[in-house]
């Protein structure tokens, strides 16, 4: 671990194994900390993070795009030779003009009215009734994943349950073939690596290009089919809106579906992984939940607070402003450290304790304000169903080794979680 306190930099891998002591140092000593190499202002206290997310008139979500485009400008990555080659290939293979990226709407990166109009459209695919109707299917998928668990000496939780559950559900919700699961995961991994992981060192690589082209071509084809013959799925609900006033363009449909595939998978996978890891590290809590399964939703909420699957989000200042008495200039990138806010002792007493008796409500693992996670109730449902099935089985297993984490500055969770029977 690096010496505490500081200098903190959200992109540096050294902070990832255990970011929490560093966050604490930031909150105590530099609640608004400028990381010069990253060129990012890090906001770490709960009240300040919430204020940044609430004040969308000052803090624009455009930064989500800029940062995930690898520090590009105006919605475009820096135009190096590799990027130009990449853009040309994308255009030839998908017939989508990458130069319109900056003008088309991407839900997560829009502000104000543009965001509102788009959110209203996509909300229709995510009504509480629609989400609740997936509960039965979630139980079936989990039961299939755990078949034979008792007889196994080893079970790799991430690959065998935490990935297939959200991927299968989102695929079925969208009305796309779950058999393409391996492709979705490959595409999603490549996008996350390019934006937030090891791929940042050599962005827009041939591998990333192949993944993006595969995803876009596939989604374009499905969207076209659903426009011709609508079905009872989310893509049909969205393409049905294309002809209306606030209608989405073909490109926007493709981008939204791609966002759902990536945002909806990786995050829930990590929530399930983080929850199981937390329970196995806290045998007293595990025993209590095993004796009272009604506590499972509390495990889900406390995991979201204690070990947030998305550690930070970005914003771009639209004017010079002040946070916690610190001036932040116009046009600055701000990292709102969700993972830190959720551990702020000013908001959650004894915050490093994994504690089912606390009131975890108010955590901001799903964000806050206008961009509050569209899939929060789906993620909660999936995690609850998975844990209800897992908890009674966890007493007979232990963790094989300290789990390796996903290599990303944004996403937090185990890459693999090998459960070993205690008798083995
Ligand atoms: C544990 C699981 C999840 C976590 C921790 C999580 C976290 C987040 C966070 C922090 C944001 C806010 C981003 C911002 O303010 O810039 C967000 C937005 C979003 N999430 Fe999730 N998410 C999860 C699951 C899902 C699922 C299952 C889906 C879809 C099926 C989804 C789709 C989205 C979308 C579309 C947005 C953008 C909403 C908007 O900009 O209006 N998420 N999520």
């Amino acid at each position: 671990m690096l010496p505490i306190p500081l200098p903190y930099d959200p992109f540096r891998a050294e902070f990832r194994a255990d970011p929490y002591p560093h966050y604490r140092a930031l909150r105590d000593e530099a609640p608004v900390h400028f990381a010069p190499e990253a060129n990012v202002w890090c906001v770490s206290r709960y009240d300040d993070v919430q204020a940044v997310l609430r004040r969308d008139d000052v803090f624009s979500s455009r930064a989500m795009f800029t940062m995930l485009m690898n520090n590009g400008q105006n919605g475009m990555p820096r135009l190096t030779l590799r990027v130009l080659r990449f853009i040309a290939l994308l255009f030839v293979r998908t017939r989508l003009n990458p130069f319109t990226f900056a003008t088309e709407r991407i839900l997560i990166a829009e502000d104000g009215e543009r965001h509102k109009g788009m959110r209203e459209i996509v909300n229709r695919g995510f009504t509480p009734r629609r989400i609740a109707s997936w509960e039965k299917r979630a139980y079936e998928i989990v039961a299939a994943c755990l078949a034979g668990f008792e007889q196994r000496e080893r079970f790799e939780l991430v690959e065998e349950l935490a990935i297939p559950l959200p991927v299968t559900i989102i695929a079925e919700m969208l009305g796309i073939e779950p058999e393409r699961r391996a492709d979705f995961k490959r595409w999603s991994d490549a996008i996350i690596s390019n934006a937030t992981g090891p791929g940042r060192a050599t962005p827009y690589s041939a591998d990333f290009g192949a993944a993006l082209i595969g995803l876009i071509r596939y989604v374009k084809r499905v969207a076209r089919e659903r426009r011709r013959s609508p079905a009872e799925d989310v893509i049909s609900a969205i393409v049905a809106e294309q002809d209306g006033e606030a209608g989405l363009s073909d490109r926007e449909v493709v981008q939204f579906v791609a966002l759902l595939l990536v945002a909806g998978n990786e995050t829930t996978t990590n929530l399930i992984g983080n929850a199981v890891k937390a329970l196995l590290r806290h045998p007293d809590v595990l025993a209590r939940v095993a004796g009272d399964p009604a506590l499972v939703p509390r495990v889900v909420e406390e995991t979201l607070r204690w070990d947030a699957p998305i550690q930070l989000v970005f914003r771009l200042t639209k004017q010079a402003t002040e946070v916690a008495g610190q001036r932040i200039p116009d046009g600055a990138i701000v990292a709102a450290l969700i993972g830190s806010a959720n551990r702020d002792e000013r908001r959650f007493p004894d915050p490093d304790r994994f504690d089912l008796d606390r009131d975890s409500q108010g955590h901001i693992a799903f964000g806050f304000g206008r961009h509050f996670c569209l899939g929060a109730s789906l993620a909660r449902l999936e995690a609850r169903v998975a844990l209800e099935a897992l908890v009674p089985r966890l007493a007979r297993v232990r963790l094989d080794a300290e789990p390796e984490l996903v290599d990303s500055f944004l996403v937090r969770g185990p890459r693999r979680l090998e459960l070993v029977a205690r008798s083995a």
Side-chain angles (χ1 to χ4, degrees):
M1 198 192 291
L2 288 184
I4 301 172
L6 317 182
Y8 177 79
D9 178 330
F11 299 131
R12 280 181 52 193
E14 297 94 310
F15 292 101
R16 284 186 209 150
D18 184 7
Y20 298 111
H22 303 284
Y23 290 157
R24 178 186 284 261
L26 283 178
R27 289 192 303 272
D28 287 347
E29 290 164 41
V32 179
H33 162 72
F34 182 65
E37 263 179 52
N39 198 23
V40 163
W41 295 80
C42 304
V43 175
S44 48
R45 286 186 186 164
Y46 182 91
D47 285 348
D48 298 333
V49 170
Q50 205 180 43
V52 166
L53 301 183
R54 183 188 299 117
R55 291 172 54 201
D56 57 344
D57 52 326
V58 178
F59 297 96
S60 162
S61 277
R62 206 64 204 154
M64 288 303 276
F65 198 47
T66 316
M67 294 313 282
L68 301 182
M69 285 295 252
N70 235 305
N71 259 325
Q73 293 297 317
N74 304 321
M76 288 297 293
R78 281 196 209 107
L79 294 180
T80 60
L81 196 61
R82 178 157 7 112
V83 170
L84 285 170
R85 212 181 302 127
F86 178 90
I87 287 175
L89 189 68
L90 201 69
F91 181 61
V92 171
R93 300 288 309 280
T94 66
R95 293 282 148 209
L96 293 179
N97 177 359
F99 286 101
T100 61
F101 261 123
T103 52
E104 305 267 353
R105 288 169 295 179
I106 296 187
L107 184 70
I108 204 158
E110 298 304 329
D111 297 325
E113 288 305 307
R114 264 166 74 95
H115 173 262
K116 193 166 162 233
M118 197 174 189
R119 177 88 186 208
E120 273 166 13
I121 297 174
V122 298
N123 267 342
R124 289 172 209 162
F126 283 81
T127 59
R129 200 163 54 87
R130 266 186 195 257
I131 298 304
S133 70
W134 286 94
E135 180 164 347
K136 185 165 162 279
R137 183 68 186 120
Y139 279 113
E140 284 167 14
I141 297 166
V142 168
C145 291
L146 289 177
F149 183 95
E150 279 73 12
Q151 288 75 50
R152 300 265 300 274
E153 287 204 344
R154 285 176 170 269
F155 185 88
E156 205 287 285
L157 183 96
V158 174
E159 190 71 34
E160 300 194 58
L161 176 93
I163 290 174
L165 173 61
V167 175
T168 308
I169 298 248
I170 194 75
E172 291 183 7
M173 275 181 90
L174 290 168
I176 55 189
E177 302 97 326
E179 304 79 64
R180 302 284 304 254
R181 200 159 72 196
D183 287 334
F184 301 150
K185 180 64 186 155
R186 198 162 41 77
W187 295 334
S188 165
D189 282 352
I191 291 169
I192 287 180
S193 168
N194 185 72
T196 78
R200 280 178 81 84
T202 50
Y204 302 95
S205 64
D207 279 358
F208 172 61
L212 201 60
I213 288 166
L215 173 63
I216 292 174
R217 283 165 64 104
Y218 178 73
V219 174
K220 260 184 94 173
R221 177 171 65 72
V222 178
R224 216 174 23 240
E225 281 168 16
R226 289 306 181 286
R227 269 199 110 177
R228 256 199 319 264
S229 44
E232 279 293 303
D233 56 51
V234 171
I235 296 188
S236 300
I238 291 164
V239 294
E241 297 294 333
Q242 281 198 271
D243 302 322
E245 213 174 277
L248 303 173
S249 70
D250 285 353
R251 258 290 290 282
E252 289 170 342
V253 170
V254 170
Q255 280 171 189
F256 178 62
V257 173
L259 172 64
L260 285 184
L261 271 176
V262 177
N265 287 329
E266 194 71 32
T267 47
T268 313
T269 297
N270 289 307
L271 169 58
I272 296 170
N274 289 346
V276 170
K277 199 170 111 183
L279 287 173
L280 290 173
R281 290 263 170 77
H282 297 85
D284 50 330
V285 179
L286 174 59
R288 206 178 140 201
V289 184
D292 183 1
L295 291 173
V296 164
R298 281 182 175 262
V299 175
V300 174
E301 294 311 307
E302 178 63 350
T303 304
L304 283 160
R305 183 198 70 82
W306 192 70
D307 215 5
I310 297 284
Q311 287 279 302
L312 68 162
V313 293
F314 295 106
R315 295 294 186 261
L316 175 71
T317 54
K318 295 194 219 175
Q319 60 191 62
T321 185
E322 218 173 79
V323 176
Q326 169 68 53
R327 189 175 178 280
I328 302 180
D330 183 16
I333 300 279
V334 173
L337 301 180
I338 287 177
S340 169
N342 282 350
R343 294 258 194 144
D344 188 348
E345 39 292 284
R346 294 156 194 82
R347 175 66 178 74
F348 299 103
D350 198 4
D352 296 332
R353 217 174 112 88
F354 185 75
D355 177 7
L356 297 192
D357 292 322
R358 79 165 69 246
D359 182 5
S360 336
Q361 297 298 323
H363 71 68
I364 44 179
F366 289 120
F368 183 80
R370 281 176 191 259
H371 289 272
F372 183 81
C373 178
L374 181 70
S377 49
L378 178 62
R380 286 182 161 127
L381 181 151
E382 291 174 354
R384 172 174 58 77
V385 169
L387 289 174
E388 278 176 13
L390 278 166
V391 161
R393 294 168 160 98
L394 290 181
R396 64 173 283 276
V397 299
R398 58 179 170 80
L399 280 179
D400 187 26
E402 181 56 34
E404 203 183 301
L405 296 175
V406 176
D407 189 357
S408 160
F409 67 80
L410 185 85
V411 174
R412 179 168 179 81
R415 206 169 63 77
R416 293 173 57 78
L417 207 60
E418 195 81 35
L419 308 181
V420 185
R422 287 193 174 277
S423 53

